[in-house]
Amino acid sequence: MIEPVELPSPWRDARLTVVVPTYNEAGNLPVLVDRLLALPLPGLKVLVADDNSPDGTGEVADKLAIENPDRVQVVHRAGKEGLGRAYVDGIGRALDGGAEYVAQMDADLSHPPEALPGMLGALLSTQAGVVIGSRYVPGGQLDEAWPLYRRALSGWANLYVHTLLRVRIRDLTAGFKIWRADALRDIGLHRVQSNGYSFQVEMHYLATKLGHTILEVPIRFEERRDGMSKMTTATKVESALMPFKLRTRHRNLDS
């Protein structure tokens, strides 16, 4: 586990909301929230968007919110509508709640929370609209336990999207990032229509089309600690078709 960077004041006090979508993450969520709240970022809050998890993740999240009433918020959604819809809901609520910066990360402990202060520092010291925790820039790493087929799928997906969309980001499918609130408002959550993992690609594509600077910093991506991957055949199909839809849907969008 890396040591989190100690940011100077007032950077360390920035109003940062970390949006965490959950579906059957009861075992991982308490560990993740403990690590997030332990960071040297007193302005950090956690917003859990739970899609009515049958394993009781929503109840676990409620308990964490009771224990940390000023720092943990829970959004209970009606059912499993996909990663993209959960993020749009959670990010919208974070912005309405006054967040200056909004982070996205998975609940499965694959993204290191301790990297967030450094990512926030990179965002605040540059003109970037978003900073991505990247697996594929120099210094980025993949857990040795990550299955070979997942490595191949991730590598192929990035190459495929690069070829079709010409977006100059190495880790186009990355799900660990921090946005400026102004960049998110400029993108407009109403424009985002992806349901599954292609949400990440759509957000990166929109940010690029609107002229926002995107910065990638290296992270170590870990294999999930508990539970099962949510990657399904339907999400793979959506991801394969999405680049074609994006080129048509946003063809008139320009900075």
Side-chain angles (χ1 to χ4, degrees):
M1 186 182 300
I2 64 172
E3 287 294 321
V5 172
E6 290 277 353
L7 296 177
S9 185
W11 287 8
R12 69 191 305 271
D13 302 313
R15 297 194 304 273
L16 169 65
T17 297
V18 183
V19 177
V20 183
T22 57
Y23 187 78
N24 288 350
E25 297 289 356
N28 290 319
L29 186 61
V31 179
L32 175 62
V33 170
D34 283 349
R35 288 170 65 181
L36 284 170
L37 297 185
L39 295 175
L41 297 173
L44 181 148
K45 295 184 179 181
V46 182
L47 191 154
V48 179
D50 184 65
D51 276 3
N52 197 22
S53 299
D55 75 339
T57 302
E59 290 78 6
V60 171
D62 284 338
K63 183 174 182 293
L64 293 167
I66 292 170
E67 294 170 351
N68 305 277
D70 297 326
R71 302 193 69 187
V72 178
Q73 177 185 355
V74 185
V75 176
H76 292 283
R77 293 164 45 77
K80 190 177 182 182
E81 298 178 11
L83 183 72
R85 296 303 91 200
Y87 263 131
V88 166
D89 192 351
I91 291 172
R93 291 172 187 262
L95 293 175
D96 290 343
E100 298 175 294
Y101 309 95
V102 179
Q104 298 174 225
M105 68 185 306
D106 292 345
D108 61 6
L109 303 177
S110 58
H111 299 144
E114 293 74 22
L116 278 173
M119 292 168 63
L120 180 60
L123 187 72
L124 291 168
S125 61
T126 66
Q127 296 301 312
V130 58
V131 171
I132 298 171
S134 177
R135 298 163 288 186
Y136 301 129
V137 293
Q141 296 178 316
L142 288 171
D143 191 332
E144 294 79 4
W146 215 39
L148 182 60
Y149 81 91
R150 291 291 303 277
R151 292 170 180 261
L153 179 62
S154 176
W156 177 86
N158 273 280
L159 176 62
Y160 174 77
V161 176
H162 270 295
T163 302
L164 291 174
L165 297 182
R166 304 293 182 184
V167 177
R168 302 180 74 176
I169 303 172
R170 293 201 182 191
D171 199 347
L172 266 165
T173 59
F176 187 30
K177 65 200 80 169
I178 301 180
W179 295 89
R180 291 184 186 270
D182 288 346
L184 289 169
R185 292 191 181 97
D186 186 40
I187 287 170
L189 296 175
H190 63 279
R191 290 194 177 104
V192 182
Q193 299 183 28
S194 304
N195 292 324
Y197 289 89
S198 55
F199 167 83
Q200 313 293 5
V201 173
E202 184 167 15
M203 290 293 284
H204 294 153
Y205 184 65
L206 286 167
T208 299
K209 289 279 285 182
L210 289 167
H212 292 284
T213 299
I214 300 173
L215 178 65
E216 292 183 85
V217 298
I219 63 158
R220 176 179 170 82
F221 183 87
E222 301 286 347
E223 175 63 305
R224 70 161 40 247
R225 303 295 176 87
D226 187 44
M228 299 179 62
S229 171
K230 311 304 186 299
M231 183 72 72
T232 65
T233 299
T235 59
K236 292 175 184 177
V237 171
E238 183 197 27
S239 297
L241 296 176
M242 186 53 60
F244 298 99
K245 293 181 179 179
L246 291 180
R247 289 196 303 187
T248 301
R249 182 184 303 157
H250 303 305
R251 62 181 178 274
N252 295 323
L253 189 64
D254 200 334
S255 59

